[in-house]
Amino acid sequence: MNTENQTMVTEFILIGFSNFPSLQIPLFTMFFLMYLITLAGNIILMIIISVDHTLHIPMYFFLSILSFSGTCYTFVVIPNMLVNLLTEKKTISFTGCATQMFFFISFGGTNCMLLAAMAYDRYVAICKPLHYHILMNQKVRVQLVAFSVVTGFVLSLIDTYFIFRLPVCGINKINHFFCDMAPVIKISCTDNNVIEIVIFIFCVVVVFGSFLLILLSYLFILITILQIPTAEGKQKAFSTCTSHLIVVIVHFGCASIIYLRPKSTYSLDKDTLISVTYTVVTPLLNPMVYSLRNKDVQIALRKALGRT
């Protein structure tokens, strides 16, 4: 590490989509509309679950928490991205960058853990239906959510602390549209591998760990479904899992491409496009999948519209 070249950085420049100046307005329009739909979808979903008593069951309790976390997750990144698409000075303060990274990783990690909790809920509902209300009582649900939130925020705090202790040598341009881990580490002037080990531990615990729990849950679910004698029974049991599976595949697919791969394969230009998927598209997918593919939510929505 060359200490002579270290400088005190007070702000960062987010390059993001600067390479496409002619697309700034179209991108702003597209992302703004998607953000509005995401906000509206998540808020409507939370309200419907809150006011309709038929949805006051563990599965929809977790879904409402996931919708709230997803709303916060997009709020951390998208508004600042939209502002930068309209302005020439695409800067973010040092403190603002650290805060954005902390909350982005926190809510991202929380979402992973919540998806694992929802998989466990499906496992109990299908594999142990007679004990469902005992095993998934209110105390257990609150504990699962609390564990998801605490794990996501604590590990995020550790990651953010180590990343922003890295020295920056003059170059304060981040090749991304928000302060993600890899782009910020890229501009540091140190060969210290400790931070990479810390990030790897975070990714293994949160991303791979929660995905492994989901796989185990669905393995037992599959075994149970195959033992159901009728095709109608099998289809009915599996239909309660399809929405969750779609969200899991998209969410963990993008997360694994970005965070669970060798350092030598990093390509920040390609990562920017992938990041759009998990910061804009995936949060939009959650309310759409759970509303369009879920009959209970559709019925509750029609009842609510009928009252108004």
Side-chain angles (χ1 to χ4, degrees), residues 183-254:
V184 174
I185 293 173
K186 188 75 174 178
I187 63 174
S188 67
C189 53
T190 178
D191 296 325
N192 195 344
N193 293 322
V194 174
I195 182 58
E196 294 178 10
I197 296 173
V198 172
I199 292 175
F200 179 75
I201 293 172
F202 167 81
C203 294
V204 168
V205 171
V206 175
V207 181
F208 182 74
S210 54
F211 185 64
L212 182 61
L213 291 174
I214 292 171
L215 284 179
L216 289 173
S217 297
Y218 275 104
L219 176 62
F220 288 114
I221 288 172
L222 180 61
I223 293 172
T224 302
I225 289 177
L226 291 176
Q227 293 174 351
I228 298 175
T230 64
E232 183 181 355
K234 292 177 181 178
Q235 183 180 2
K236 184 178 180 181
F238 187 74
S239 64
T240 63
C241 305
T242 51
S243 298
H244 180 255
L245 275 173
I246 293 171
V247 174
V248 165
I249 291 170
V250 176
H251 182 86
F252 284 94
C254 295

Side-chain angles (χ1 to χ4, degrees), residues 100-276:
Q100 185 184 59
M101 180 183 292
F102 168 70
F103 282 107
F104 174 77
I105 300 173
S106 296
F107 287 114
T110 299
N111 289 344
C112 290
M113 303 299 288
L114 285 173
L115 288 171
M118 293 173 75
Y120 174 72
D121 169 73
R122 292 297 82 210
Y123 157 74
V124 176
I126 295 173
C127 301
K128 300 180 182 296
L130 298 179
H131 302 91
Y132 180 64
H133 292 290
I134 297 174
L135 295 175
M136 294 300 297
N137 59 58
Q138 185 176 5
K139 182 180 179 181
V140 173
R141 298 197 300 269
V142 172
Q143 287 175 341
L144 287 171
V145 171
F147 178 78
S148 301
V149 174
V150 171
T151 302
F153 274 71
V154 169
L155 292 177
S156 174
L157 180 63
I158 296 170
D159 274 0
T160 306
Y161 171 77
F162 277 100
I163 289 173
F164 281 89
R165 279 178 57 100
L166 296 174
V168 178
C169 299
I171 302 174
N172 66 335
K173 293 183 179 180
I174 298 176
N175 190 14
H176 213 358
F177 59 88
F178 71 100
C179 294
D180 204 357
M181 291 186 287
V184 174
I185 293 173
K186 188 75 174 178
I187 63 174
S188 67
C189 53
T190 178
D191 296 325
N192 195 344
N193 293 322
V194 174
I195 182 58
E196 294 178 10
I197 296 173
V198 172
I199 292 175
F200 179 75
I201 293 172
F202 167 81
C203 294
V204 168
V205 171
V206 175
V207 181
F208 182 74
S210 54
F211 185 64
L212 182 61
L213 291 174
I214 292 171
L215 284 179
L216 289 173
S217 297
Y218 275 104
L219 176 62
F220 288 114
I221 288 172
L222 180 61
I223 293 172
T224 302
I225 289 177
L226 291 176
Q227 293 174 351
I228 298 175
T230 64
E232 183 181 355
K234 292 177 181 178
Q235 183 180 2
K236 184 178 180 181
F238 187 74
S239 64
T240 63
C241 305
T242 51
S243 298
H244 180 255
L245 275 173
I246 293 171
V247 174
V248 165
I249 291 170
V250 176
H251 182 86
F252 284 94
C254 295
S256 61
I257 291 172
I258 294 294
Y259 300 113
L260 293 178
R261 59 178 175 174
K263 182 181 177 182
S264 58
T265 62
Y266 283 172
S267 174
L268 294 178
D269 292 331
K270 293 180 181 179
D271 287 358
T272 299
L273 298 177
I274 299 172
S275 297
V276 170

Side-chain angles (χ1 to χ4, degrees), residues 29-161:
T29 305
M30 180 178 67
F31 292 149
F32 180 67
L33 290 175
M34 293 177 72
Y35 182 53
L36 286 181
I37 295 172
T38 301
L39 280 180
N42 280 319
I43 291 172
I44 290 172
L45 200 55
M46 286 186 286
I47 292 174
I48 290 297
I49 292 172
S50 175
V51 300
D52 195 298
H53 294 290
T54 61
L55 300 181
H56 290 180
I57 58 177
M59 180 173 70
Y60 297 110
F61 168 77
F62 289 119
L63 179 56
S64 63
I65 301 297
L66 182 66
S67 295
F68 176 76
S69 180
T71 302
C72 297
Y73 177 80
T74 55
F75 182 75
V76 171
V77 175
I78 298 180
N80 185 68
M81 179 187 69
L82 293 174
V83 171
N84 287 339
L85 283 170
L86 295 179
T87 58
E88 292 185 7
K89 189 179 180 182
K90 307 177 190 299
T91 59
I92 185 170
S93 68
F94 182 90
T95 303
C97 188
T99 303
Q100 185 184 59
M101 180 183 292
F102 168 70
F103 282 107
F104 174 77
I105 300 173
S106 296
F107 287 114
T110 299
N111 289 344
C112 290
M113 303 299 288
L114 285 173
L115 288 171
M118 293 173 75
Y120 174 72
D121 169 73
R122 292 297 82 210
Y123 157 74
V124 176
I126 295 173
C127 301
K128 300 180 182 296
L130 298 179
H131 302 91
Y132 180 64
H133 292 290
I134 297 174
L135 295 175
M136 294 300 297
N137 59 58
Q138 185 176 5
K139 182 180 179 181
V140 173
R141 298 197 300 269
V142 172
Q143 287 175 341
L144 287 171
V145 171
F147 178 78
S148 301
V149 174
V150 171
T151 302
F153 274 71
V154 169
L155 292 177
S156 174
L157 180 63
I158 296 170
D159 274 0
T160 306
Y161 171 77

